Amino acid sequence: MGNLTINGLYQSFDRDDGTHLDVLNNLHLEVHDKEFVCILGASGCGKTTLLRLIAGLDQAKSGSIVLDGEEIGGPNPKVGFVFQEYSLFPWRNVIDNVAFGLEMRGVPKEERYATAKKYLDLVSLVQFSTSFPAELSGGMRQRVAVARALALDPVLLLMDEPFGALDAQTRNMLQKELLGIWEKTQKTIIFITHSVDEAVYLADRAIVLSPHAGRICREIPITLPRPRDRTSVEFAELRRDILDLISRT
């Protein structure tokens, strides 16, 4: 299962002058099992803050985050996180990077390497198992990061602009690969992006946050059949509608 319910989430940060900055304010959101949700909004609207709260890396001032009936109060083994930066250990080779989380859980060596190999195969990198991060392209490093998150078998996968630093061609390729992985693994995915094109290509639903004190200003179902054609009239119309909405918020 991978059902997430967020109720009345409020988060603020203290300033040096004693005032505070509201980042999320009374946010409510439901994400359903196996759903692919993209979160959009201007820089500073609280997208990454929201993801860190869901991951249990930070604590909200108030409100609740419930995954499959259990409230999240800290890091949770049911939640995987792929950061914008690759976050790989440069001194460990690819398979050891993927197996790291399993090693920390005390999984026996033979089992964790078998699992790591399985997910490297899923992201088409098993032939680079003994390579080091410095020997890989940016896109390959991010695929290793995805494999590492999946190796822990989370029910919910959080992705914070994972393709933002890549060139357009590599980004499009990885978007297609990610959809294939999602269809095979049936994970629930929450994906942050600044790219409306990316959201329309990937998501079942796009969530647009307001630019101030992050509230949800619109939830947009994306029902275009997959695989989606970026050159189609329907794709272009939906992309334009979401861009117009963001420009008005």
Side-chain angles (χ1 to χ4, degrees):
M1 299 293 286
N3 294 296
L4 183 77
T5 301
I6 298 173
N7 281 315
L9 201 63
Y10 172 75
Q11 180 68 316
S12 65
F13 298 123
D14 296 331
R15 294 189 174 112
D16 292 338
D17 62 3
T19 62
H20 61 268
L21 173 67
D22 290 342
V23 182
L24 299 171
N25 195 349
N26 196 32
L27 188 142
H28 298 265
L29 176 65
E30 288 197 12
V31 178
H32 307 295
D33 184 41
K34 303 180 181 65
E35 189 176 19
F36 198 129
V37 170
C38 281
I39 298 179
L40 292 155
S43 295
C45 72
K47 301 186 297 296
T48 295
T49 297
L50 175 59
L51 233 57
R52 289 182 62 84
L53 293 172
I54 296 171
L57 300 177
D58 295 324
Q59 295 296 310
K61 302 292 185 182
S62 62
S64 64
I65 303 172
V66 177
L67 177 61
D68 292 338
E70 297 181 3
E71 187 161 1
I72 292 176
N76 191 311
K78 291 184 176 182
V79 182
F81 206 131
V82 179
F83 297 89
Q84 184 173 2
E85 303 82 14
Y86 310 122
S87 303
L88 302 178
F89 299 119
W91 59 89
R92 296 177 70 115
N93 64 22
V94 164
I95 197 164
D96 283 335
N97 264 287
V98 175
F100 175 75
L102 298 170
E103 183 180 346
M104 293 299 100
R105 288 186 180 178
V107 175
K109 185 175 181 179
E110 184 176 346
E111 182 182 345
R112 69 176 182 258
Y113 278 116
T115 300
K117 183 178 179 182
K118 169 187 172 182
Y119 285 102
L120 282 173
D121 188 42
L122 186 65
V123 299
S124 303
L125 285 178
V126 72
Q127 67 271 36
F128 294 95
S129 295
T130 59
S131 300
F132 287 85
E135 301 171 315
L136 306 179
S137 68
M140 293 166 73
R141 291 177 202 169
Q142 200 58 295
R143 283 151 67 189
V144 174
V146 171
R148 183 176 61 182
L150 290 173
L152 294 171
D153 196 26
V155 299
L156 173 63
L157 183 61
L158 307 176
M159 308 187 78
D160 189 2
E161 294 190 78
F163 308 146
L166 303 175
D167 63 87
Q169 183 176 355
T170 302
R171 186 171 184 159
N172 287 353
M173 178 190 70
L174 289 184
Q175 289 167 3
K176 183 178 180 180
E177 289 185 1
L178 177 60
L179 284 178
I181 291 167
W182 170 66
E183 289 168 355
K184 289 177 183 176
T185 61
Q186 297 288 288
K187 302 297 182 186
T188 305
I189 295 180
I190 301 177
F191 187 107
I192 285 179
T193 180
H194 276 99
S195 168
V196 173
D197 181 273
E198 187 166 61
V200 174
Y201 184 78
L202 291 174
D204 295 315
R205 185 161 46 116
I207 309 295
V208 180
L209 296 186
S210 62
H212 305 294
R215 296 185 179 91
I216 294 174
C217 62
R218 187 72 63 85
E219 298 187 20
I220 303 160
I222 302 175
T223 58
L224 300 177
R226 295 185 175 97
R228 292 172 181 165
D229 180 2
R230 299 177 197 267
T231 65
S232 71
V233 172
E234 295 81 5
F235 192 102
E237 288 177 345
L238 186 52
R239 180 175 54 205
R240 184 186 63 239
D241 290 346
I242 296 175
L243 282 168
D244 288 345
L245 173 64
I246 292 174
S247 69
R248 296 195 305 268
T249 57

